[in-house]
Amino acid sequence: MRRRLHSPWILLAALAIAGCSADLHETEGPIVPFPNVTGRVLTEGLPAVDRKVKLIETATDTEIDSDRTGPDGIFAFTQVPSGAWTLEAGGTGEEEFDAVTIDFEISADGDGFDAPDMDLALRGLRAIAPAPGAVQPLPSLSTPILFEWERPDTSGATIQVRLYGPAGESIWHSVKTEDSSVRWNGIANRGESAGLPVPPGSYTWKLREEPDAGAAIERTTAALSVVFEEPRR
Amino acid sequence: MHRDTDRTSRRLALAFLVLLPLTATASLASQLDPGPWPMFHRSTDHTAFSSYPPPSVGTIAFRTALSDTVEYSSPVVGSDGMIYVGDQGKELWALDLFGNPRWNFHTGGNIRYSTPAVRADGSILVGSGDGRLYCISSIGTLNWTVMTGGAVKTSPAIAPDGTIYFGSDDGKLWALYPNGTPKWTFATQDTIRSSPAIGPDGTVYFGSNDGAIRAVTPAGGLFWSAVTGGAVRGSPAVYRGKIYVGSADGFLYALRADGSLEWATYTGNNLRSSPAIGVTGKIYLGMDTKLACFHDSGDPCFEFETGDRVLSSPAVYAGTDSIDVVLCGSDNGVLYCLRDQQLLWSANLGAPVRSSPSIGPVGFAYVGAMDGALYGIGVIPPSDAPTPPASGFARLRLYPSPVRGDGEVRIELASEIGGSGRLEIFDATGRRVLETPLESGNRILWRRGDGAVAPFSPGLYFARWSDGDRVVTGRVVRLP
């Protein structure tokens, strides 16, 4: 399977140049494939220009190709073969999500996927607690930690907290909730440490938003740091 | 003066002597009924562990239509030989062991969640969607009710001292004196759907939709609170000093009696089913579309796929070689019976089964279904069968029935069965009162002496003959 995919802008430009030729139909040139995966990246409903979009093989979480959005916020990939894929558009992390992802499948070679608009704007979603860099007692069954956020205008969306260990490994995912807070009792539910209380140390966490329950599109905020230390006796 | 004092003392002593037996009787009467399955998950520790074997085949012995859907309310079996179950038509039903309705009591709200609890005096406690806990007499009349601030969607538990515990949608755990007078309430931060379990020391364990599992002392004080990451809707089971309960955060928790963590196993599923505990400490509960088993270490033992959601909470019996026999319903409409992880039998009821099965005496299991019916699974005694038995079908006759006092009962095993086996007779509490060999075509007399436990109490008695492969049952009623 071909893994290095060509950015379509070069191909589209070549096609445009070729299209200017008066004897196009008589010229035997290279076959220029049309993109079969396209979409648009926005921020606050306006085109987000020159943003990197990754094409990731979902099963292996491996980046296979990338593109940058054009003036209309459009990106495209060509000759994406059958399989399960993830598109990831990167934001600035300030007033934007750090990443917006869409999972999709191409059932047969030659099929395509027209992605729904990927809007990077945070629209007021803001983590409140713990504050970035906060030092907290190690959470436990009796002294859980409360993750809180503010989300003024995303009704119907669910939020999930995702926590990562010192090496960036996934430690814990909260339940998806429409509330503005979730508690954690310090027990990991990801990886080899699932079911075990986590040790003291430096961790990072993100908020992950699904606009609609079960939607294939997800938005993730930039990582915030938190330090868990042994509670003082 | 002195004489008056003596007279007064004598009167007081006499009054005391008169009142003492009444007080003692009241205390015993307010305890949990000693019947085969008197409450949700059978006992106050919620282990759902049966002393009686479940049916050996998945034959639907009877289907009794009630007034509306039977969802989470589960049938219980009292020592009076009666089944009690609630439905969404607001009715509490009393039926005999063969599914014949005896009476129904209309409450002010649906009985969607609450499983009744039977007391030793025969009265029945059940919660209703109208916010009340009801105490109904054994003949179906109202004894008393208590009004809470929200629908009662939990099943009451009765402590040895007669204290009644239950949770309400008002977010409170309620404790009542046996006569229904409120003793105390304990407030949580959200509604309560988890039914309280009681530990050997009287500590009450329950979950709340606020995500916490709490241990509360018999006096109503907080012993400890363990916070999970999701609502705790299932009911805890208490076994060998551990508290087992699932949470919507996907964990099955095993907590020690002091509230510390023994282990937590992540399942990735919103756990609503209440765990049942097997003979070696294995834990069984519904998990997504499966019946799941965990070792007492928290390691998974097996999963049995049903193809639809398993919201029913299992029941367990210790089979031969201490291998658990587990019953559990599924939203696919089937009641399953597994031995270890092998399917023994299944009964297709045709409607989702969220009610938890109970196991009665002489090999019957009972469960409600969302088609609004109570089902009895087992082999119905031929004398109670609605149609004549097929040719060659073995018959076990007990007559006369009813019989007065310790009167003789003749027991005959029809000759068609051809063979010899053992006959056992149980009272309604499951106590075996006679065991004797019996050959087909023969007749014996059941009377005092002859190895029978006597004197005989009035009530329903069940006979069970088996040669190891075949089982034949019958019954007889003894009158005072």
Side-chain angles (χ1 to χ4, degrees), chain A residues 6-57:
Chain A
H6 297 292
S7 173
W9 299 111
I10 299 169
L11 300 172
L12 287 172
L15 185 64
I17 293 166
C20 292
S21 169
D23 56 352
L24 173 66
H25 300 290
E26 297 168 9
T27 303
E28 287 189 5
I31 297 171
V32 180
F34 278 98
N36 65 336
V37 174
T38 58
R40 193 166 61 146
V41 180
L42 307 175
T43 184
E44 294 281 12
L46 300 173
V49 183
D50 197 30
R51 302 303 175 87
K52 184 177 181 181
V53 179
K54 299 177 191 174
L55 179 69
I56 297 166
E57 191 177 54

Side-chain angles (χ1 to χ4, degrees), chain A residues 141-142 144 173 175 182-183 185 187-190 194-195 197, chain B residues 225-229 248-249 251 253 255 259-261 264 266:
Chain A
L141 283 167
S142 55
H173 292 180
V175 293
V182 67
R183 291 181 193 277
N185 56 21
I187 301 172
N189 64 10
R190 285 288 181 279
Chain B
S225 171
V227 177
T228 77
D249 70 2
F251 280 105
Y253 289 92
L255 305 175
S260 60
L261 181 71
Y266 187 65

Side-chain angles (χ1 to χ4, degrees), chain A residues 87-101:
Chain A
L87 289 169
E88 180 182 308
T92 62
E94 298 282 331
E95 293 301 317
E96 294 180 345
F97 283 97
D98 188 56
V100 176
T101 61

Side-chain angles (χ1 to χ4, degrees), chain B residues 23-306:
Chain B
T23 310
T25 304
S27 173
L28 286 172
S30 61
Q31 291 181 348
L32 182 66
D33 181 79
W37 199 281
M39 63 175 289
F40 174 72
H41 263 203
R42 186 176 179 268
S43 48
T44 52
D45 58 11
H46 283 174
T47 51
F49 191 81
S50 174
S51 306
Y52 311 109
S56 52
V57 292
T59 305
I60 298 175
F62 67 81
R63 175 190 184 276
T64 302
L66 307 181
S67 67
D68 207 333
T69 302
V70 182
E71 194 166 356
Y72 293 98
S73 184
S74 304
V76 297
V77 185
S79 60
D80 55 359
M82 298 291 284
I83 307 166
Y84 302 97
V85 66
D87 71 15
Q88 290 204 46
K90 308 179 183 179
E91 305 286 349
L92 172 69
W93 289 87
L95 311 96
D96 69 19
L97 289 171
F98 302 97
N100 302 303
R102 290 291 182 248
W103 53 258
N104 53 304
F105 180 89
H106 192 75
T107 71
N110 71 57
I111 308 178
R112 184 182 175 195
Y113 294 92
S114 184
T115 294
V118 188
R119 299 202 290 188
D121 66 356
S123 60
I124 305 105
L125 304 167
V126 70
S128 169
D130 65 359
R132 294 179 183 274
L133 184 83
Y134 286 81
C135 178
I136 312 298
S137 77
S138 58
I139 57 170
T141 57
L142 178 66
N143 281 350
W144 49 259
T145 72
V146 169
M147 186 73 187
T148 75
V152 179
K153 298 178 179 176
T154 64
S155 308
I158 301 165
D161 68 354
T163 303
I164 302 157
Y165 299 104
F166 66 100
S168 164
D169 264 7
D170 64 8
K172 293 174 182 166
L173 177 74
W174 286 69
L176 308 179
Y177 289 103
N179 65 2
T181 306
K183 200 172 188 180
W184 48 257
T185 59
F186 183 96
T188 72
Q189 306 303 310
D190 207 332
T191 53
I192 301 176
R193 302 282 166 85
S194 167
S195 298
I198 304 173
D201 62 350
T203 302
V204 184
Y205 304 97
F206 69 104
S208 166
N209 282 358
D210 67 9
I213 305 154
R214 291 181 174 84
V216 174
T217 67
L222 179 66
F223 184 18
W224 50 257
S225 171
V227 177
T228 77
V232 181
R233 290 188 166 187
S235 304
V238 184
Y239 184 70
R240 290 183 182 167
K242 306 288 188 305
I243 298 96
Y244 300 96
V245 67
S247 164
D249 70 2
F251 280 105
L252 173 65
Y253 289 92
L255 305 175
R256 302 185 190 105
D258 63 0
S260 60
L261 181 71
E262 176 75 11
W263 50 257
T265 295
Y266 187 65
T267 69
N269 296 288
N270 178 350
L271 298 179
R272 297 186 195 176
S273 173
S274 303
I277 312 295
V279 65
T280 59
K282 285 179 181 169
I283 302 136
Y284 301 91
L285 79 167
M287 187 179 80
D288 192 27
T289 58
K290 307 172 193 76
L291 169 65
C293 170
F294 297 87
H295 293 286
D296 60 1
S297 61
D299 295 327
C301 280
F302 69 83
E303 293 177 357
F304 179 83
E305 176 65 54
T306 75

Side-chain angles (χ1 to χ4, degrees), chain A residues 152-182:
Chain A
D153 65 346
T154 51
S155 56
T158 56
I159 296 287
Q160 181 183 47
V161 175
R162 293 192 165 189
L163 185 78
Y164 302 89
E169 72 279 22
S170 185
I171 296 289
W172 173 71
H173 292 180
S174 76
V175 293
K176 293 172 183 175
T177 177
E178 294 180 17
D179 297 337
S180 295
S181 65
V182 67

